Amino acid sequence: MGRFAIGRIVHGVVVVFCVAIVVFATSRLVGDPVGVILPFEATHEQRAALRHQLGFDRPILEQFGEYITNLARGDFGTSLLQDRPTISIVLEHLPATFELVFAGIALAILIAVPLGVVAAVRPGSLVDRMSVSLSLLGLSVPEFFLGILLILFFAVELGVLPASGKGGIEHLILPALTLALPAVGRLTMIARSSMIDQLGQAYVQTAKAKGIPRWRVVGIHALRNALIPVLTLSGWELMRALAGYAVTVETVFAWPGVGYLAFQAVREQDVFLVQTIVLVVAVLVVFVNVGIDILYRVVDPRIKLG
Amino acid sequence: MSESGHRVPLLEVEKLEVSFFTQHGVVRAVRGTTFDIARGETVGLVGESGSGKSVTSLAILGLIDLPGKITGGDVRWKGSSLLNRAGLKWVKQVRGKELAIVFQDPMTSLNPLFTLRWQIGEVLRHHLGMGRKRAEERVVELLDLVGIPSPRERAKAYPHELSGGQRQRALIAMALACEPELLIADEPTTALDVTIQAQILELIGEIQQRLGLAVLLVTHDLGVVAGVCDRVVVMYGGKIMERGSATDVFQHPGHPYTAGLLRSTPRIDLAQHRMIGIDGSPPNMIDPPPGCPFAPRCPIAFDRCVEPPPFIPAPNGREVACWRAYDT
Ligand SMILES: Nc1ncnc2c1ncn2[C@@H]1O[C@H](COP(=O)(O)OP(=O)(O)O)[C@@H](O)[C@H]1O
Ligand SMILES: [Mg+2]
């Protein structure tokens, strides 16, 4: 466990460091934040002065060195527009994103696994064919479009759920569903095929021959094995949601999370805020990865700790 | 084998027919097999790969799943059918308890995610209503019975921590958990090293003596059957070719197929024995012709072999399904 943990920490630090390089490079190479901060009619001198003040006129490597040193001290920089530490802004928005992403992925797993299992138990049946079509549908509709469809139907047409913002549980339903449905498609396919695979294994025959009820054969013996690939994909879904889908879904629903914040920060060219968002998300992704690795070791005794 | 009225065999398989309705056609895996097993008896079910031995074993336990179906005949346990409405319920109660099976491949037949004591204990918890603690104690005894060293520690092991031979022992322990009256061993040694094979066979023989259970030993290897079985049933192409006492069948094979099998079996007692395989390959089981399935490969086949041969009784309760049985 010790070596495993140290290895993962080193790996995580390397990943975050690489992300820091990429983030830094892109934010310095693309666009000019000075033009955004200052009014359109600002003079050339004013612009140069601000550039100097922000340190943008120094050699790029020197700037990067300072950036990394500051990071190590916990200084992520100051937002250009809000004039506050970027890290506080990001941390304020994090809980909302967690709420949305965990609700979405949990919902996806809770729908996909039973659906996949039922389909796998009777391959070729009506339920099976329906699950496959549903999965394909979920897969082929983009998040933003799905989100808008759901808003149009439930918020505009029926008027039963709020279209945007954050509040009670009713505000969570549509964005979580939007995040969940494409994941349901992928997870159902994996749950189904992995379950079909497991049901054909010899140990299932042994379990049947024991005389135990069928639900135990399917729901305990085969399912536990079938969940291993589902776990892999769920981790992937969680990472993709944090690092990508959350931006679309939160923006469509004006959900006050890090994704929506990222959208605004990019639009307003708040370079330092964007940098911090990307770094924080990278750290989260690294954490999810480690979490999945630990879960594997809990589920599968064949994977050794260490 | 004789129906003497008062003696009901433990297991009777009568004119059993099993087919698989696949995309490529109907695979007639078992076509009217009949045999029985008395209490405490060891019967060998022998035949080349694909002759329908495993399907017969699974059908006995009620484990034929779609696209497979039992299309005819009967399986009776202690005199009552396991295939009628009441039997389908009953077989669920006796399966794993009175009627147990050990499969061919010990490497894949245990669930990789559970400890031995959980998997073996599950049978005890389910059939005998034991609590977790008692079941675990009993698992240790069972592992000891099947010759697994330091059973208390091994009980906590996962399958991947055991060798193939030990896994097969664990599977035998699982089958023996509820002290069954019949143990079906479906090629229990095929996947194992030669030295381990002998040990597992010895173990089965030993347990059979000790617990007095009946054994159906399924194998493609006549050599395995020779020392162990009281009676032998020889199967080919889903049909029974010959059945009789093991000594009789080995010394005077009545069916050319049995003779061929014997010639292709390595023998330890005859150093000079040359192994000769049977020419040709097993028949395609999709829509096979009604006659003797072995006829196309048989050295002494003649016109009549296109008709299904009846069982021709011979002395000592021996029966041979061949038009030319005892011709000479
Ligand atoms: N699930 C299945 N689907 C289709 N055909 C099967 C199935 N199981 C067995 N068979 C066919 O039934 C025949 C007998 O198989 P089996 O009983 O496994 O032979 P063996 O004597 O080697 O144990 C073979 O032709 C095999 O292909
Ligand atoms: Mg077989």
Side-chain angles (χ1 to χ4, degrees):
Chain A
M1 190 71 196
R3 267 189 52 200
F4 164 71
I6 291 170
R8 296 312 307 218
I9 290 170
V10 170
H11 183 248
V13 169
V14 170
V15 169
V16 173
F17 186 77
C18 292
V19 172
I21 294 177
V22 173
V23 164
F24 182 82
T26 38
S27 66
R28 288 302 184 278
L29 296 176
V30 183
D32 179 4
V34 172
V36 182
I37 303 164
L38 291 177
F40 184 69
E41 60 279 5
T43 64
H44 195 71
E45 284 69 33
Q46 281 172 317
R47 286 171 200 271
L50 182 63
R51 234 179 238 122
H52 181 72
Q53 186 198 331
L54 292 171
F56 286 2
D57 56 347
R58 284 182 294 155
I60 193 92
L61 275 182
E62 202 182 311
Q63 287 184 50
F64 183 67
E66 195 191 334
Y67 175 60
I68 295 293
T69 330
N70 285 343
L71 278 186
R73 282 205 305 262
D75 175 6
F76 286 75
T78 305
S79 163
L80 291 175
L81 292 161
Q82 295 193 33
D83 199 26
R84 292 200 292 146
T86 51
I87 187 72
S88 347
I89 303 176
V90 175
L91 291 181
E92 276 164 24
H93 286 76
L94 214 47
T97 294
F98 281 160
E99 193 182 315
L100 172 64
V101 165
F102 288 131
I105 301 302
L107 190 64
I109 294 172
L110 287 177
I111 298 172
V113 170
L115 195 60
V117 169
V118 171
V121 169
R122 294 174 197 284
S125 69
L126 190 68
V127 181
D128 183 30
R129 288 198 302 259
M130 267 169 52
S131 85
V132 173
S133 329
L134 247 145
S135 305
L136 285 174
L137 194 73
L139 280 176
S140 47
V141 181
E143 283 80 19
F144 76 90
F145 186 65
L146 182 63
I148 291 167
L149 274 186
L150 289 176
I151 289 176
L152 282 178
F153 189 66
F154 288 100
V156 179
E157 195 67 29
L158 297 181
V160 289
L161 290 168
S164 71
K166 190 167 178 307
I169 183 95
E170 70 277 7
H171 283 85
L172 182 59
I173 295 176
L174 289 186
L177 213 55
T178 308
L179 198 64
L181 286 180
V184 167
R186 289 181 289 265
L187 284 167
T188 304
M189 301 264 235
I190 285 287
R192 173 182 174 275
S193 67
S194 134
M195 196 67 188
I196 288 178
D197 180 36
Q198 291 303 325
L199 286 173
Q201 298 292 315
Y203 73 81
V204 168
Q205 189 82 278
T206 307
K208 285 181 188 164
K210 282 166 142 180
I212 56 174
R214 186 170 158 79
W215 72 263
R216 283 189 73 90
V217 176
V218 175
I220 294 181
H221 284 269
L223 182 60
R224 179 134 180 213
N225 283 276
L227 281 183
I228 294 173
V230 173
L231 186 67
T232 312
L233 184 61
S234 301
W236 189 87
E237 290 291 350
L238 202 55
M239 292 187 271
R240 286 289 293 148
L242 282 169
Y245 302 139
V247 177
T248 335
V249 176
E250 288 182 3
T251 305
V252 168
F253 287 94
W255 182 263
V258 176
Y260 192 29
L261 183 68
F263 170 72
Q264 292 167 316
V266 168
R267 198 180 50 191
E268 289 155 16
Q269 295 209 29
D270 192 340
V271 183
F272 298 128
L273 186 54
V274 173
Q275 279 178 1
T276 306
I277 291 172
V278 176
L279 268 188
V280 167
V281 169
V283 171
L284 288 179
V285 167
V286 167
F287 270 115
V288 171
N289 231 324
V290 174
I292 295 294
D293 263 10
I294 291 172
L295 267 182
Y296 268 139
R297 285 163 168 75
V298 172
V299 176
D300 192 344
R302 286 165 297 187
I303 303 174
K304 283 275 188 308
L305 288 168
Chain B
M1 185 127 311
S2 59
E3 301 286 86
S4 41
H6 56 270
R7 185 185 139 259
V8 176
L10 194 57
L11 174 79
E12 297 159 274
V13 176
E14 195 188 308
K15 300 197 178 101
L16 181 70
E17 287 177 24
V18 186
S19 300
F20 291 90
F21 296 84
T22 69
Q23 289 172 345
H24 312 287
V26 181
V27 180
R28 307 224 172 263
V30 176
R31 298 187 283 160
T33 45
T34 301
F35 62 93
D36 59 17
I37 303 176
R39 284 180 193 281
E41 195 181 25
T42 304
V43 174
L45 183 58
V46 195
E48 284 171 296
S49 161
S51 49
K53 309 180 299 291
S54 295
V55 172
T56 304
S57 312
L58 291 174
I60 292 171
L61 289 160
L63 291 179
I64 298 293
D65 283 329
L66 290 174
K69 241 177 127 174
I70 295 178
T71 46
D74 202 3
V75 174
R76 280 190 297 277
W77 179 246
K78 297 175 179 171
S80 317
S81 171
L82 291 179
L83 299 183
N84 58 24
R85 189 183 285 257
L88 291 177
K89 264 193 185 161
W90 192 35
V91 74
K92 286 182 189 157
Q93 287 160 30
V94 299
R95 187 194 297 154
K97 189 179 179 204
E98 300 176 7
L99 238 172
I101 187 164
V102 175
F103 291 108
Q104 177 168 348
D105 186 1
M107 300 314 273
T108 57
S109 291
L110 286 162
N111 193 320
L113 303 187
F114 294 94
T115 59
L116 291 189
R117 69 176 176 194
W118 188 91
Q119 320 200 19
I120 301 174
E122 190 183 24
V123 187
L124 298 161
R125 295 193 302 271
H126 175 69
H127 286 297
L128 306 180
M130 283 190 188
R132 199 175 57 87
K133 272 266 139 52
R134 265 196 68 205
E136 285 178 9
E137 279 305 309
R138 176 85 179 115
V139 169
V140 174
E141 286 171 29
L142 284 163
L143 292 180
D144 193 40
L145 175 75
V146 297
I148 287 183
S150 39
R152 198 161 288 279
E153 283 68 55
R154 288 329 250 164
K156 294 176 206 152
Y158 288 94
H160 72 275
E161 297 169 310
L162 273 64
S163 68
Q166 289 210 339
R167 291 190 208 188
Q168 196 57 299
R169 285 174 194 268
L171 281 157
I172 293 172
M174 187 186 282
L176 294 176
C178 299
E179 302 186 343
E181 290 160 74
L182 172 65
L183 175 69
I184 302 178
D186 187 354
E187 313 232 14
T189 61
T190 305
L192 300 170
D193 290 347
V194 183
T195 46
I196 315 286
Q197 281 186 9
Q199 288 173 16
I200 295 290
L201 284 174
E202 205 172 299
L203 172 70
I204 292 175
E206 216 179 275
I207 282 165
Q208 202 248 341
Q209 299 260 301
R210 209 147 122 195
L211 307 181
L213 75 173
V215 173
L216 178 65
L217 184 59
V218 178
T219 175
H220 66 271
D221 185 354
L222 269 181
V224 163
V225 164
V228 194
C229 296
D230 304 314
R231 285 189 300 129
V232 183
V233 177
V234 180
M235 235 182 134
Y236 181 77
K239 291 189 171 192
I240 291 182
M241 300 287 102
E242 160 161 33
R243 55 180 177 232
S245 86
T247 3
D248 280 356
V249 172
F250 287 133
Q251 278 167 11
H252 313 286
H255 199 288
Y257 176 63
T258 318
L261 266 187
L262 271 173
R263 275 196 300 276
S264 61
T265 306
R267 289 176 59 170
I268 354 170
D269 53 331
L270 294 177
Q272 297 303 311
H273 181 77
R274 268 184 58 221
M275 271 169 56
I276 307 161
I278 310 176
D279 281 340
S281 49
N284 180 356
M285 299 305 289
I286 297 177
D287 297 322
C292 173
F294 187 59
R297 296 168 72 190
C298 182
I300 56 167
F302 67 126
D303 317 347
R304 197 138 188 218
C305 295
V306 298
E307 294 167 43
F311 274 111
I312 298 173
N316 307 326
R318 175 82 165 286
E319 286 170 300
V320 180
C322 177
W323 291 113
R324 302 201 91 147
Y326 307 105
D327 240 13
T328 44

